[in-house]
Amino acid sequence: MTPTVGTNRRAFLLGSAAAAAGVMLGACSTGDDTAGDDTAGNGTKGGGGKADGVGSSKKPLSAPAEFHEAPMLAAQVKAGDLPPVKDRLPARPYVVPHNWLEPGKFGGELRMMTPKVSDGQVREYMYGHSILRYLNDGMDIGPGIAESWESNADASEWTLHFREGLKWSDGKPWTTADILFWWEDLVLDEDHSAVPPDEMRSGKGTLAKMTAPDDFTLVLTYDAPAPLTADRLATWVSGGNGDVGPIWTLPRHYVEQFHPKYNPDAPADWASKDGVFYTKADFVRNPECPTLTGWRVTSVKEGEVLRWERNPYYWCVDPDGNQLPFVDRLIMSVVQDAQVGKLQVQEGRYDYVHGPFAQLALADVAGLKETADRSGVETVLWDNGDGTGNACFFFNYDYHDEKMRKLIREPAFRQALSLAFNRAEVQKAVHFGMGEATTGTMSPKAVEYHVGSEGPDVYRSWRDAYNAYDPEAAKKLLDELGVVDKDGDGKREMPGGDKLTIVLTFAANPNDVVSQSNNLMVRDWRRIGLDVREDPIPPESMDPGWQSGKIMGRGDWGVGDGPNCLVFPQWIVPIEPTRWAPLEGQFYNVRGTPAENAERDKDPYDRTPPRMEPEPGGPIERLWKLYDQCKVEPDEMKRHQLVWEITKIHVEEGPFFQGSVANTPSLTVAHRDLGNVPRKENLAQGGFTAPWIHPTPAVYDPEAYFWRNPDEHGGSGAGA
């Protein structure tokens, strides 16, 4: 069967919200809803995101007739230290297909910022190890190190064809043995901490069988349909230590020396996350570890700076045949204090900063524009694409106190709190009038909400269900539940007369957007007679308290997942213990294992780990049944319809999580001399920065960024 390479979706238009943001924000980036076409991609004039090209080619581009390389590499070829460029590239290299690209120049260095050396954000800049990759803001799936793929009719067997001639950064050949090592010697090794990713499980939850007929072909065989395999292979960024995605491939020729199967002298703690294996196998922390990314690390100074140089064997080229990357070197300085980082950006210390990583927000635009002459940077606004805003609120559906849990599970109680929240004020005060008021949903860019006429209708019904500011309606709902002021102190009590205090817990030191949103929400709830207490706690205390049912409600997490609702469905279906129904999510995890029937005689909160079954016929049991159908349904349209049914449960019996203002602009800064950084109008859906599983900016190929005047930015001969 020919693979389905993504699904076309129209972007959700937000023209009125953009207009409300005023001239200053409007000047940063404009919008265009034109989707990428199938045939463009040979480069456009103008450049740096100011070109007319929109989106990315959906079909792989043909390899150019000849290839070109950076002067620093050409010099090494001439000296006999490197093979010619055509011998360093695969037989069919990946041709970056973005329609906004203009011909670039080699050279220079790029100064960047990162919170810490080992942080997963560093990896989100580079798609180099990934099997497949997202294009057009998640509308399409394109090739990665696998150049093609197909499945059988019921999606129970998938075959991946990898690029012949692919090489690691040390020049050693890549083969399927580099994947089998990860699978057989790490994932299937009981002494190792690696876990199989979702794409290696069938719709029944059982592990796939992995075989490699040859060095460049991999076959995944499942015991049931696994229709989401391609989507899941495109998510995250693979490689390294797996902190923002599964590893999938490692340079076996280098890392097997740290594995006791191949080296009896390997340390006893080899398999721990900070043990010798993970440390040595991490291309970000260990300059000796070969990589498939566009740049390779040359030095690491923990807590200070991370330095990279171009990978001479990088397997991607631009449409003109230039081996990427264009920029010679990256210098990533570690800045943990967000306020210090913002000041340094204004001082011109950095050339490119992906705003979400540096906690840059719309409130920083004015300062950045005022200092633009000094800093040399411009502000770039891409759509966030989230469904709730940077912060959302959700009760613990499995809260340990029986009386409060019963109230939390009343849809009318949660609906009352949603109607009492003045989102228009948050939109104006926090987001400068941009974005869209929302009850709280999955991403408005998710494919299921752009299919036919029903998809957009289903999305709007969820978004608008309880987002109107109507405190009188909220009071009426509470009154009908018996949540009234019984003792005359001005605060409502529980239906039985017990004291009612809503505790909003969040990680200490929240960013400004989270803090402002929470403050306005708490104020609104107090105005309808609710006693609300804010409870900042250390981040490390959050998961244990939440997963044991001891924390009542959270206000420090946004819902940004996509590009479809099934590839990472944890917000709409409780299948793990970190979101709105933690004990039931944990029970889903143990279904079909001995733990499912263990400790039946114990209170759910005393089990190890704490877990409980859903109420028979209740919303969670019905969500599970629909999701289980989705996982084995090979027909894409039928899966969309199942997602609509899931959504209707959220509309009728939710909100299970509550948003404020969705799809607000996400701020990035780029030096005015830096080319091929797309603007919103270049992107098929205006950008999609919120979810980690849609890795930004990796999806826009920073390896194609270039300096128009490289001699002014480190030059081609400057040292790192």
Side-chain angles (χ1 to χ4, degrees):
M1 183 183 78
T2 303
T4 300
V5 185
T7 303
N8 253 336
R9 300 179 291 190
R10 298 297 291 172
F12 195 88
L13 298 177
L14 298 172
S16 59
V23 175
M24 179 170 287
L25 286 175
C28 297
S29 182
T30 57
D32 190 320
D33 189 42
T34 308
D37 62 45
D38 280 351
T39 57
N42 293 320
T44 52
K45 305 299 180 183
K50 297 181 177 67
D52 294 333
V54 178
S56 307
S57 174
K58 301 167 193 172
K59 298 178 181 178
L61 302 182
S62 300
E66 58 181 5
F67 302 108
H68 314 284
E69 62 191 352
M72 64 182 293
L73 298 182
Q76 295 178 53
V77 172
K78 185 175 181 180
D81 297 327
L82 274 180
V85 61
K86 64 180 179 60
D87 296 333
R88 302 197 307 269
L89 289 167
R92 289 175 294 278
Y94 179 75
V95 184
V96 176
H98 309 312
N99 299 335
W100 63 79
L101 296 185
E102 63 173 309
K105 297 180 180 179
F106 291 109
E109 61 188 25
L110 197 61
R111 301 170 302 165
M112 306 165 74
M113 182 198 308
T114 183
K116 55 184 177 180
V117 167
S118 59
D119 195 271
Q121 295 171 1
V122 172
R123 304 173 201 283
E124 288 268 307
Y125 285 100
M126 304 176 196
Y127 235 153
H129 294 85
S130 296
I131 311 299
L132 305 176
R133 57 173 64 193
Y134 280 124
L135 296 170
N136 292 317
D137 290 336
M139 287 196 296
D140 302 303
I141 298 171
I145 61 173
E147 64 177 332
S148 63
W149 67 99
E150 69 266 357
S151 75
N152 62 357
D154 71 351
S156 63
E157 183 173 278
W158 290 77
T159 303
L160 305 168
H161 306 280
F162 293 87
R163 299 179 188 278
E164 296 187 27
L166 187 69
K167 296 179 177 63
W168 292 96
S169 57
D170 61 358
K172 301 295 184 182
W174 181 96
T175 70
T176 48
D178 295 312
I179 289 180
L180 291 175
F181 173 83
W182 161 73
W183 182 246
E184 296 173 352
D185 296 329
L186 299 185
V187 176
L188 300 184
D189 188 325
E190 294 182 357
D191 294 328
H192 197 272
S193 59
V195 296
D198 290 341
E199 59 266 28
M200 285 304 296
R201 292 187 181 277
S202 74
K204 291 182 179 180
T206 50
L207 287 184
K209 179 183 178 182
M210 179 185 291
T211 56
D214 57 53
D215 284 349
F216 302 103
T217 308
L218 198 70
V219 179
L220 308 178
T221 306
Y222 303 85
D223 66 351
L228 298 171
T229 298
D231 284 272
R232 286 176 168 158
L233 286 171
T235 60
W236 310 101
V237 284
S238 301
N241 65 1
D243 56 356
V244 290
I247 293 174
W248 262 100
T249 185
L250 286 167
R252 179 175 185 160
H253 66 279
Y254 173 75
V255 299
E256 65 182 11
Q257 64 182 302
F258 309 112
H259 194 297
K261 177 179 177 180
Y262 305 96
N263 179 7
D265 297 326
D269 71 339
W270 72 277
S272 67
K273 190 171 180 66
D274 293 317
V276 65
F277 183 87
Y278 264 133
T279 301
K280 292 294 186 180
D282 186 355
F283 67 91
V284 173
R285 292 185 287 175
N286 177 20
E288 295 179 357
C289 182
T291 181
L292 297 174
T293 53
W295 293 275
R296 58 184 181 184
V297 169
T298 59
S299 67
V300 179
K301 194 170 185 181
E302 188 67 46
E304 294 187 33
V305 68
L306 187 65
R307 297 179 184 273
W308 308 67
E309 70 177 12
R310 68 170 65 253
N311 171 7
Y313 293 91
Y314 188 49
W315 47 279
C316 301
V317 301
D318 78 348
D320 294 319
N322 295 303
Q323 185 193 27
L324 301 175
F326 281 119
V327 173
D328 290 337
R329 292 171 297 278
L330 307 179
I331 301 176
M332 294 182 175
S333 298
V334 177
V335 182
Q336 296 180 335
D337 188 310
Q339 297 305 317
V340 170
K342 292 174 186 179
L343 289 173
Q344 291 180 345
V345 171
Q346 293 179 350
E347 292 169 359
R349 296 272 296 273
Y350 304 108
D351 306 310
Y352 181 77
V353 178
H354 186 55
F357 295 169
Q359 295 188 33
L360 293 176
L362 293 181
D364 300 311
V365 169
L368 289 167
K369 291 182 74 68
E370 289 173 1
T371 58
D373 288 342
R374 179 170 74 245
S375 67
V377 300
E378 298 176 337
T379 52
V380 178
L381 297 182
W382 294 329
D383 279 2
N384 187 303
D386 66 13
T388 62
N390 296 84
C392 75
F393 171 79
F394 50 106
F395 277 114
N396 193 325
Y397 201 78
D398 301 326
Y399 189 54
H400 73 102
D401 180 84
E402 185 177 359
K403 291 182 180 179
M404 188 64 198
R405 182 172 69 251
K406 182 178 179 181
L407 184 60
I408 287 171
R409 291 188 176 188
E410 285 284 354
F413 179 65
R414 289 175 271 115
Q415 291 162 14
L417 268 62
S418 184
L419 292 170
F421 185 21
N422 189 347
R423 292 168 172 82
E425 189 167 353
V426 177
Q427 187 173 31
K428 179 180 178 181
V430 181
H431 301 289
F432 298 86
M434 305 188 82
E436 56 183 288
T438 182
T439 299
T441 71
M442 290 288 272
S443 173
K445 297 181 185 293
V447 60
E448 294 89 348
Y449 303 131
H450 296 267
V451 176
S453 60
E454 188 170 355
D457 288 344
V458 170
Y459 169 72
R460 284 190 292 269
S461 70
W462 190 7
R463 181 195 65 186
D464 299 339
Y466 311 105
N467 72 345
Y469 178 50
D470 194 342
E472 294 306 314
K475 292 176 185 178
K476 183 179 179 182
L477 286 172
L478 294 176
D479 291 345
E480 292 171 351
L481 287 170
V483 180
V484 297
D485 180 10
K486 297 180 184 296
D487 59 13
D489 67 351
K491 296 179 180 178
R492 295 173 181 267
E493 279 77 47
M494 299 277 285
D498 292 345
K499 182 177 178 60
L500 170 61
T501 300
I502 296 173
V503 182
L504 173 63
T505 301
F506 51 88
N509 301 315
N511 64 51
D512 291 343
V513 172
V514 170
S515 180
Q516 293 177 68
S517 297
N518 282 348
N519 290 342
L520 291 169
M521 182 174 65
V522 168
R523 180 206 63 186
D524 291 342
W525 288 350
R526 287 172 176 163
R527 285 178 172 174
I528 61 169
L530 293 169
D531 181 17
V532 188
R533 181 168 64 86
E534 297 183 74
D535 179 32
I537 66 172
E540 59 271 16
S541 302
M542 186 67 77
D543 282 350
W546 184 261
Q547 294 176 26
S548 63
K550 299 296 177 58
I551 294 175
M552 182 188 297
R554 294 184 63 169
D556 62 350
W557 200 349
V559 179
D561 294 313
N564 65 58
C565 292
L566 296 174
V567 73
F568 200 75
Q570 283 84 333
W571 281 109
I572 55 170
V573 185
I575 58 174
E576 49 79 55
T578 65
R579 291 163 175 81
W580 54 272
L583 274 75
E584 291 168 85
Q586 182 60 49
F587 193 88
Y588 186 94
N589 270 342
V590 303
R591 292 190 315 167
T593 73
E596 179 176 1
N597 294 308
E599 301 182 295
R600 289 281 186 176
D601 57 332
K602 289 187 177 182
D603 184 284
Y605 299 92
D606 294 331
R607 295 170 182 168
T608 305
R611 59 194 184 277
M612 68 169 64
E613 292 180 85
E615 298 170 327
I620 292 179
E621 185 182 72
R622 286 182 281 127
L623 289 170
W624 282 5
K625 288 180 178 179
L626 288 167
Y627 177 55
D628 287 344
Q629 289 179 256
C630 291
K631 291 191 297 181
V632 296
E633 177 51 68
D635 185 275
E636 187 173 27
M637 189 62 206
K638 290 181 180 178
R639 291 200 305 273
H640 294 335
Q641 292 168 339
L642 290 168
V643 169
W644 295 342
E645 292 302 312
I646 288 172
T647 302
K648 289 173 184 176
I649 293 175
H650 279 259
V651 173
E652 294 166 2
E653 301 182 53
F656 299 107
F657 56 89
Q658 176 182 299
S660 56
V661 182
N663 200 25
T664 55
S666 174
L667 175 61
T668 286
V669 296
H671 197 285
R672 64 171 65 98
D673 196 40
L674 192 63
N676 283 342
V677 180
R679 269 46 176 183
K680 178 178 176 177
E681 59 266 28
N682 298 124
L683 303 177
Q685 290 208 90
F688 193 6
T689 67
W692 286 81
I693 59 176
H694 180 258
T696 310
V699 291
Y700 307 136
D701 289 284
E703 295 85 357
Y705 297 175
F706 72 96
W707 289 115
R708 293 188 180 85
N709 298 285
D711 291 342
E712 297 176 7
H713 305 280
S716 58

